[in-house]
Amino acid sequence: MIATVLTALIGSGLTPETSFRPQFADDFPTLKWVDATDRQYPNLPGAPTAILIDVECDAAQLAAIESSPDYFVVSTE
Amino acid sequence: MAFVSPFQSPFVKPFPSEGAAATQLFYDTFTDADGTNLNLHTPNVDTVGGGWVAYSTVADYQIQSNRAARVSILGGSDSFYCANVGEADVTINAKIITFSGDNSNTGFAVRLSDISNFWLVAFSASADTFNIFQRNGGVYTLRASASVTININTQYVLSCVLSGNSITATLNGGNSISYSSAFNNTATRHGLALRNQPVGLSRDTCDDFEVMP
């Protein structure tokens, strides 16, 4: 299933290894995800600190995401 | 029957174009004397002309053992070699070996307009991830990622299909990741991003780089 997840935005953008990225990428490195926003974060008004991503996961993995206080699952399909 | 190169592992798909050189926009087997700077080397096929161009402060990619190799890190992490193939919608294939020298992502720089604006399609042996990065105005953003086991000093076939706003990449024919964006979707320069810091003879290297329409 695909879960749309709200996650904190981290990184400096200076190198690929320190790129702007979702906190989720560091906490769940084995899950496949894609940015759902296509926004250039430093240029957005208000300097956003959270973004939406679409995550490929199964039911058990979704439960693990939902159980974390760091993430909010917006929808699943 | 499809032609399969004798040096490829049986589980690695041959390039779709092998045996069809006439359709290649750009192709390089990196056959040249050791130590030849990549920007002074003549590719096998270069339909636009101009060869490899360094997007770096120094020329730190050379031919070594008939492969393209990153031989120093003098150009820093932002050292890329690209060719203008005249088309933005292309399929790019190459055989890449990484050794995870400083835990860097290595792979392709595609749809490059200048050193500050392009897409980086790359994998990391230290993180075991396969990634699509956007570099926009000098700022890197990770747009898509998947988990994949990468073994150092092992050759992987990296493929990237660019079509309209779509960027799709595969590793050894699997582990597909994709992203959609209009950013730089008319840029026609594509090439190598061998980013790990060399240690002695341990280097990120590439062979059989090709660009197909």
Side-chain angles (χ1 to χ4, degrees):
Chain A
M1 74 179 74
I2 302 295
T4 300
V5 177
L6 184 66
T7 167
L9 179 68
I10 61 173
S12 65
L14 294 177
T15 71
E17 291 70 36
T18 60
S19 60
F20 284 107
R21 63 194 186 279
Q23 175 68 54
F24 183 92
D26 288 11
D27 292 347
F28 291 87
T30 62
L31 294 186
K32 184 177 180 178
W33 61 269
V34 62
D35 188 328
T37 67
D38 194 30
R39 295 294 186 264
Q40 181 67 359
Y41 305 116
N43 297 337
L44 287 178
T49 57
I51 62 168
L52 288 173
I53 58 173
D54 291 332
V55 180
E56 280 188 24
C57 59
D58 59 25
Q61 292 163 335
L62 176 63
I65 298 168
E66 288 180 319
S67 68
S68 169
D70 295 331
Y71 304 104
F72 178 71
V73 178
V74 177
S75 64
T76 59
E77 62 180 51
Chain B
M1 174 182 289
F3 172 76
V4 178
S5 299
F7 54 87
Q8 284 186 326
S9 301
F11 56 83
V12 175
K13 286 185 177 181
F15 291 169
S17 55
E18 280 190 287
T23 64
Q24 291 163 327
L25 296 171
F26 189 91
Y27 181 52
D28 202 338
T29 58
F30 305 108
T31 303
D32 213 328
D34 283 358
T36 302
N37 287 334
L38 199 57
N39 51 327
L40 301 177
H41 159 77
T42 302
N44 303 59
V45 177
D46 184 4
T47 54
V48 170
W52 292 100
V53 175
Y55 293 87
S56 172
T57 54
V58 297
D60 55 1
Y61 288 31
Q62 293 181 354
I63 304 293
Q64 293 290 337
S65 302
N66 294 328
R67 298 180 71 95
R70 181 82 182 268
V71 296
S72 82
I73 196 85
L74 292 176
S77 63
D78 292 334
S79 179
F80 313 101
Y81 277 65
C82 292
N84 183 7
V85 304
E87 296 187 23
D89 289 353
V90 294
T91 297
I92 306 165
N93 302 304
K95 299 166 183 170
I96 294 179
I97 295 173
T98 188
F99 79 102
S100 193
D102 57 356
N103 304 329
S104 293
N105 285 267
T106 205
F108 297 153
V110 302
R111 288 185 168 173
L112 180 145
S113 52
D114 58 52
I115 195 170
S116 296
N117 295 281
F118 59 90
W119 292 92
L120 174 65
V121 177
F123 54 90
S124 167
S126 59
D128 278 337
T129 55
F130 187 29
N131 305 301
I132 296 176
F133 299 92
Q134 178 187 28
R135 193 176 201 204
N136 184 345
V139 175
Y140 285 101
T141 302
L142 180 58
R143 295 298 193 183
S145 182
S147 174
V148 57
T149 299
I150 302 293
N151 296 310
I152 62 172
N153 299 322
T154 300
Q155 181 162 273
Y156 291 90
V157 175
L158 177 60
S159 298
C160 181
V161 178
L162 307 172
S163 178
N165 290 347
S166 173
I167 300 170
T168 300
T170 59
L171 206 54
N172 283 354
N175 302 296
S176 175
I177 56 172
S178 61
Y179 191 68
S180 182
S181 172
F183 173 76
N184 262 24
N185 67 359
T186 59
T188 59
R189 294 177 178 88
H190 317 285
L192 292 172
L194 305 177
R195 298 186 55 258
N196 275 294
Q197 181 173 1
V199 178
L201 295 178
S202 296
R203 300 158 169 154
D204 286 351
T205 66
C206 174
D207 198 6
D208 292 337
F209 179 92
E210 71 170 2
V211 182
M212 305 286 293

